[in-house]
Amino acid sequence: MNNIYITDLDHTFLRTDLSISPFTQKIWNVKTDNHILSVATARSFKKTEQFLKNLHVNAPMILLDGSLIVSEDKKIIDTKFITQDLGDAIIDEGAKLNIYPFVLALEDQNLNEAFLYPAQRNEYQHNLLKRYTKDDNLQERKEIRTMSDNFKLVYMGDESILKHLRDKLHSIFKNNLKYILAPEAYMGCYFLTLLHADADKAHGLNIVSDYLGRNLTDFTVFGDNLNDLGMFQLSGTSVAVSNAHDKLKKYADIVLPHTNDEDGVAKYLQSVGV
């Protein structure tokens, strides 16, 4: 029976410069001849497509931290949205601290995504937007509000401010949201991601398992950070790259001797044969 491999992108599969080496591309595409390969990422559908444009993907993709599951032929399988009322209430609380989020939302069933960004933004947000200048889904908002179907709200800033906001939001909205506070590896700051309470990669892995009609024990997953922990706990085999968070490594069945910049995932795929 063919094996199923699901990898995180940033700092696991992608190199630090967000590229994919020719070696990794070759190994991945050869592997899809006999096995099932896909990704689980915090990235949007649009950005993931850009990164994987030269790779074959033959299973559903887990996107936006599990709030969007998309089939290999670009059909929406599952969504977990933050409602407009809840999203706007979150923004109102952040505004009391003079901080405003990015909003990632679904515009239509054709997978057109909206990336809303506030006119009033900090230096971290400003610098991040420089990376997205070629994207056609960016929409500036003088007074930012959410849309009907929101995947997530993302704040960027100093840890202390975002921790205060997280605690305040949790005191108000309790378990109606998922709260992810973590360092932003590329920008030198922190980000606070707010998602539907059931949106995470573990949820996504269950959806993909059902879609493929396969047991979770058939899955091998790769990751580097704590948002991969749920997948590690569910899958048959969990693999951490050598640059992974120390806590995640404790839950890994295998810790690779190679980092993301050393093609760790591809070298593992090569080592397990055809």
Side-chain angles (χ1 to χ4, degrees):
M1 181 178 287
N2 53 7
N3 297 320
I4 306 169
Y5 301 98
I6 307 289
T7 184
D8 170 56
L9 287 183
D10 290 88
H11 297 286
T12 300
F13 187 70
L14 298 177
R15 295 189 289 193
T16 302
D17 64 1
L18 301 179
S19 67
I20 296 171
S21 74
F23 171 77
T24 285
Q25 179 180 319
K26 177 182 177 181
I27 295 298
W28 176 282
N29 286 340
V30 168
K31 204 75 176 177
T32 56
D33 289 341
N34 298 302
H35 301 284
I36 298 172
L37 283 80
S38 192
V39 300
T41 177
R43 296 278 186 175
S44 68
F45 172 75
K46 184 180 185 68
K47 295 304 294 184
T48 300
E49 267 210 318
Q50 291 173 5
F51 289 133
L52 302 183
K53 63 182 179 180
N54 296 317
L55 274 69
H56 306 150
V57 173
N58 55 6
M61 295 183 292
I62 301 168
L63 305 170
L64 293 160
D65 291 301
S67 57
L68 173 63
I69 316 297
V70 175
S71 70
E72 60 273 31
D73 56 352
K74 302 181 183 179
K75 300 289 195 306
I76 296 175
I77 297 172
D78 189 70
T79 53
K80 290 287 181 285
F81 293 125
I82 293 175
T83 64
Q84 190 165 18
D85 287 345
L86 179 55
D88 287 346
I90 292 167
I91 290 173
D92 290 341
E93 290 302 318
K96 296 175 183 178
L97 299 175
N98 201 35
I99 52 177
Y100 301 89
F102 295 129
V103 177
L104 280 81
L106 185 68
E107 287 196 301
D108 56 46
Q109 293 300 304
N110 294 318
L111 285 170
N112 289 310
E113 299 161 325
F115 187 116
L116 312 181
Y117 64 94
Q120 188 174 350
R121 53 190 181 270
N122 59 37
E123 61 176 312
Y124 304 116
Q125 292 172 308
H126 180 73
N127 289 334
L128 182 71
L129 286 172
K130 291 178 181 179
R131 300 182 179 186
Y132 293 80
T133 53
K134 296 181 180 180
D135 289 2
D136 59 8
N137 62 335
L138 298 178
Q139 301 177 31
E140 185 176 30
R141 292 288 190 269
K142 184 175 181 181
E143 181 181 355
I144 193 160
R145 309 302 286 171
T146 56
M147 299 177 69
S148 297
D149 298 324
N150 307 283
F151 291 120
K152 62 181 179 178
L153 283 70
V154 182
Y155 289 88
M156 299 179 69
D158 296 328
E159 180 183 14
S160 59
I161 294 174
L162 296 186
K163 186 177 184 300
H164 177 72
L165 177 59
R166 180 199 62 188
D167 294 345
K168 179 64 174 178
L169 293 174
H170 188 268
S171 71
I172 298 170
F173 304 113
K174 310 297 183 189
N175 295 327
N176 291 311
L177 291 168
K178 188 175 295 294
Y179 312 81
I180 302 174
L181 179 64
E184 209 295 322
Y186 301 110
M187 307 292 296
C189 65
Y190 270 71
F191 64 84
L192 174 62
T193 301
L194 304 162
L195 300 148
H196 185 282
D198 294 329
D200 56 35
K201 291 183 181 182
H203 156 76
L205 201 66
N206 275 312
I207 295 292
V208 175
S209 174
D210 290 343
Y211 181 89
L212 296 175
R214 296 284 293 272
N215 294 324
L216 287 166
T217 53
D218 295 334
F219 284 71
T220 296
V221 300
F222 303 86
D224 77 294
N225 214 332
L226 298 182
N227 65 336
D228 300 311
L229 183 56
M231 292 200 305
F232 273 41
Q233 293 171 324
L234 288 178
S235 63
T237 304
S238 55
V239 183
V241 286
S242 67
N243 54 290
H245 193 289
D246 287 340
K247 184 175 180 180
L248 188 71
K249 288 180 178 179
K250 293 178 181 178
Y251 288 88
D253 297 310
I254 299 167
V255 177
L256 299 176
H258 304 107
T259 68
N260 62 309
D261 287 321
E262 297 168 328
D263 298 310
V265 172
K267 288 176 178 175
Y268 175 85
L269 293 175
Q270 184 183 50
S271 74
V272 294
V274 297

